Amino acid sequence: MSNKEKDLSDLILRANKVTDETLTIFGKLAPQQLNWKPDINQWSIAQCFDHLRTANEAYFPILKKVLNGEKKNTFWESMPLLPMFFGKMLIKSVAPESKSKLKAPKVFYPSNSNIEGDIIHRFVEQQNQMVKCIKATESLDLDKIIISSPITNLITYSLMDAYRVIVNHEERHFLQAKRVFHSNGFPT
């Protein structure tokens, strides 16, 4: 097994672990539990998964173009070294173990109102779709396919790094949701 295959296999395992643990821990919670916040400045469990769904959804049009062979490089995607720089920076910044607080881009903000109780199942469905897309690109040279961030065309990185960003981001917010679940005052 090549390093790329091992890396991709590891990312798929990690994504599936997030899915399985999300269902196990949060899948049977009531809407009021999912929408409960430890305080006004923190997200609820539902907001964590709403944010992930919104952020991940932005990648599907890009993945569709890649899978259909319609992906063409933009000017910024053709710039040497930028994708490697941005990829490493983003992977590190959204890593679950990163202590730095990040402010989500406004386009990825979760809803402020009560989120429907099916948010966990909608996240799981989308997660299964994401894993299918990752598997569908296994035969491609993922380090050479350069994409733009869904936030801005100025930030570019490889498709492999996009997968690393996605999974790290999911693990980070999964842990955030677990902290909410274990907070004092969480409704039982």
Side-chain angles (χ1 to χ4, degrees), residues 75-139:
F75 172 77
W76 292 109
E77 291 168 351
S78 300
M79 297 295 288
L81 302 179
L82 280 181
M84 189 171 25
F85 168 76
F86 285 126
K88 286 181 181 184
M89 181 186 72
L90 283 169
I91 292 165
K92 186 177 177 183
S93 69
V94 298
E97 64 275 0
S98 175
K99 300 293 181 206
S100 62
K101 287 263 188 184
L102 297 174
K103 190 155 177 85
K106 286 194 187 278
V107 297
F108 295 155
Y109 270 27
S111 173
N112 283 330
S113 60
N114 277 349
I115 296 168
E116 295 292 324
D118 68 343
I119 185 63
I120 299 302
H121 295 286
R122 287 187 289 131
F123 169 76
V124 166
E125 284 175 18
Q126 183 193 63
Q127 186 75 338
N128 290 333
Q129 184 182 1
M130 180 62 75
V131 168
K132 281 182 187 174
C133 284
I134 293 171
K135 287 179 179 179
T137 61
E138 283 178 313
S139 64

Side-chain angles (χ1 to χ4, degrees), residues 8 50-51 55 57 96 180:
L8 205 56
D50 187 50
H51 167 68
E57 189 65 36
V180 172

